[in-house]
Structure formats: structure tokens, C-alpha cells
Amino acid sequence: MVEETLVPGAVVSEIARRHRLPPQQVFTWRRQARRLPTPKADDPPFVPAVVGAMVPAVTVGHECKIAQRKAKQE
């Protein structure tokens, strides 16, 4: 929403009303966004996280029970 207010000719109060927010809130967010530290040249670039395939909990629980039964039998 803050980015939307940065478009030339945008009226912050209208944008705030459209999102059902008080204009003061949007002005505060704009002010806070200006204060955020800018990235430095030596900062690492964004690296996406890679998440492996998830195993359903039912399968994991089932495998645990089978392993426990085998351990008891031995």
C-alpha cells in the first residue's frame, strides 16, 4: 500500500480510505519506510529458501510404529 502512495499524483488520504484505514496510519508507514536502512554493497543478495518435499505426519507416525514393533520383536 505504501508503494501505491508513491506513484506521482497519488493522494494518500484516498488510498487510505479505499483500504479502510486512517490516513495517519498510512503516513506513518511512509515515514517508517523512509527510515529503513538501505542495503549496502557488501550485503548478500536475496537467496530463496528451498524446502524439500514434506512427508505427511500420518506416514511418519506409521513408520515409527513399524520400527517400534520390529525393535520389540528382536
Side-chain angles (χ1 to χ4, degrees):
M1 187 180 340
V2 171
E3 187 176 346
E4 187 179 346
T5 67
L6 301 176
V7 174
V11 179
V12 175
S13 297
E14 289 176 4
I15 294 168
R17 272 188 242 116
R18 189 172 62 239
H19 291 281
R20 296 188 173 131
L21 290 170
Q24 297 86 345
Q25 180 67 58
V26 180
F27 280 110
T28 299
W29 288 341
R30 285 170 45 110
R31 190 171 47 256
Q32 290 172 343
R34 277 186 249 131
R35 289 187 200 152
L36 292 176
T38 56
K40 298 176 186 164
D42 59 342
D43 284 348
F46 172 75
V47 179
V50 178
V51 180
M54 296 185 66
V55 179
V58 175
T59 304
V60 172
H62 180 70
E63 291 172 356
C64 289
K65 288 179 184 178
I66 291 173
Q68 289 173 351
R69 287 184 195 145
K70 286 182 181 179
K72 287 181 184 178
Q73 292 173 354
E74 293 175 353

